[in-house]
């Protein structure tokens, strides 16, 4: 029976970028389990599985709008270098977690200048085309 909304699906997947760089895979751990249509995954991944059946292998290319979205320039900002605690390595690519009155925010250092540090709060895969190789292992139909 084809997989539909509300079904619980188990898959193994490998995610890579257009240049072939692998960014995630479930193949060396437990399969990913999710309920289709609950918004637990990016929309393009859910759409790739819907309508398929256990045993199917799917390769899908997901555009940014169906993945982690476009890069939002408003989520890139600078702080004074003096505001960064001494124990944090000031290197591009370093992930940080900031806290303020609204909660916590994950950011990545993208540039380090003599006076300022540039931080990016976009998801690391925002603005990127994603390619997933998906093996559909199992599906438990939704209770009607």
């Amino acid at each position: 029976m084809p997989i539909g909304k509300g079904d619980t699906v188990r898959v193994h997947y490998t995610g890579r970028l257009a240049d072939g760089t692998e960014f995630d895979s479930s193949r060396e751990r437990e399969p990913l389990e999710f309920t289709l249509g609950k918004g637990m995954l990016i929309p393009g991944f859910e759409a790739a599985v819907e309508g398929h059946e256990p045993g199917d292998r799917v390769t899908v290319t997901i555009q940014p709008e169906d993945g982690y979205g476009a890069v939002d320039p408003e989520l890139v900002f600078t702080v004074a270098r003096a505001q960064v605690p001494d124990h944090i390595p000031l290197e591009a690519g370093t992930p940080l977690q900031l806290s303020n009155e609204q909660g916590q925010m994950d950011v990545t250092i993208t540039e380090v200048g003599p006076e300022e540090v540039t931080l990016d709060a976009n998801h690391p895969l925002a603005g990127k085309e994603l390619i997933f190789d998906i093996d559909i292992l199992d599906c438990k139909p939704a209770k009607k």
Side-chain angles (χ1 to χ4, degrees):
M1 216 154 120
I3 296 168
K5 300 246 189 297
D7 293 347
T8 299
V9 184
R10 285 175 13 114
V11 302
H12 268 307
Y13 68 90
T14 300
R16 54 194 159 82
L17 302 175
D19 68 3
T21 303
E22 187 176 304
F23 61 83
D24 194 16
S25 178
S26 68
R27 301 201 190 272
E28 299 298 319
R29 58 183 191 258
E30 289 294 310
L32 173 66
E33 183 173 299
F34 63 98
T35 302
L36 192 68
K38 288 221 173 175
M40 298 166 75
L41 303 175
I42 58 175
F45 194 100
E46 288 200 3
V49 171
E50 190 169 9
H52 285 279
E53 298 186 9
D56 286 354
R57 288 186 149 187
V58 181
T59 297
V60 62
T61 300
I62 300 173
Q63 298 304 314
E65 59 271 16
D66 292 321
Y68 293 95
V71 173
D72 181 348
E74 291 188 20
L75 294 178
V76 178
F77 54 96
T78 59
V79 295
R81 194 172 172 146
Q83 286 185 279
V84 180
D86 291 338
H87 69 278
I88 294 174
L90 289 177
E91 298 172 8
T94 301
L96 304 173
Q97 194 170 60
L98 306 179
S99 297
N100 63 20
E101 54 277 350
Q102 284 88 33
Q104 293 186 331
M105 174 191 316
D106 292 323
V107 299
T108 302
I109 296 175
T110 56
E111 283 183 53
V112 178
E115 302 294 322
E116 294 181 326
V117 176
T118 303
L119 304 174
D120 186 347
N122 284 286
H123 188 282
L125 297 174
K128 298 191 182 336
E129 183 178 271
L130 310 175
I131 302 165
F132 283 96
D133 298 312
I134 305 167
D135 292 322
I136 302 171
L137 305 175
D138 193 7
C139 176
K140 293 179 193 142
K143 294 187 171 140
K144 307 285 180 204

